[in-house]
Amino acid sequence: QVQLVESGGGLVQAGGSLRLSCAASGTIFSINAMGWYRQVPGKQRELVAVIRSGGLTTYTDSVKGRFTISRDNGKNTVYLQMNSLKPEDTAAYYCKAEGVHSWSSLRDYWGQGTQVTVSS
């Protein structure tokens, strides 16, 4: 059974920083990509950043230059360093592991979400 556990959310003032972590546990042979998505009530979940197994990264335009995604393949962990936070970054942030190859399957997994609130 593969699980994703997120941590690092919280309340921060505008201009501040937070670091999110997401660790995948279980018997995992490989993970193709790991990423972060966010969602506010009433809106669709949107991609924030993704990092692929080779290190290629993609960011949504609104976070470029402020957020940095990184990955520790040995620990099956992905990080999101968020700097210069803005009130519009307030959302529930979800970790996603894509193409997880385990004993029994090859599929995607989602974390439970962690709330990030940026006050003005």
Side-chain angles (χ1 to χ4, degrees):
Q1 182 79 9
V2 175
Q3 289 186 323
L4 302 184
V5 178
E6 299 145 338
S7 62
L11 173 64
V12 65
Q13 288 188 333
S17 299
L18 284 174
R19 188 189 193 215
L20 305 183
S21 300
C22 172
S25 63
T27 302
I28 298 170
F29 299 130
S30 64
I31 301 175
N32 181 28
M34 299 187 79
W36 291 94
Y37 292 70
R38 64 188 180 187
Q39 188 172 24
V40 297
K43 292 190 176 182
Q44 286 189 330
R45 192 171 295 185
E46 65 167 357
L47 172 70
V48 176
V50 63
I51 183 167
R52 293 165 180 81
S53 56
L56 183 65
T57 58
T58 300
Y59 296 90
T60 192
D61 287 345
S62 62
V63 308
K64 287 180 180 177
R66 300 188 297 122
F67 291 10
T68 302
I69 190 169
S70 60
R71 179 174 172 176
D72 185 333
N73 290 326
K75 296 181 179 180
N76 290 325
T77 299
V78 64
Y79 306 95
L80 185 68
Q81 178 66 43
M82 305 185 292
N83 299 328
S84 302
L85 282 160
K86 303 175 181 180
E88 50 264 44
D89 295 317
T90 295
Y93 282 70
Y94 296 89
C95 172
K96 183 181 182 183
E98 300 175 6
V100 179
H101 185 195
S102 65
W103 277 114
S104 59
S105 65
L106 177 64
R107 52 163 285 190
D108 299 345
Y109 291 87
W110 287 93
Q112 80 283 359
T114 185
Q115 180 67 34
V116 171
T117 303
V118 184
S119 63
S120 57

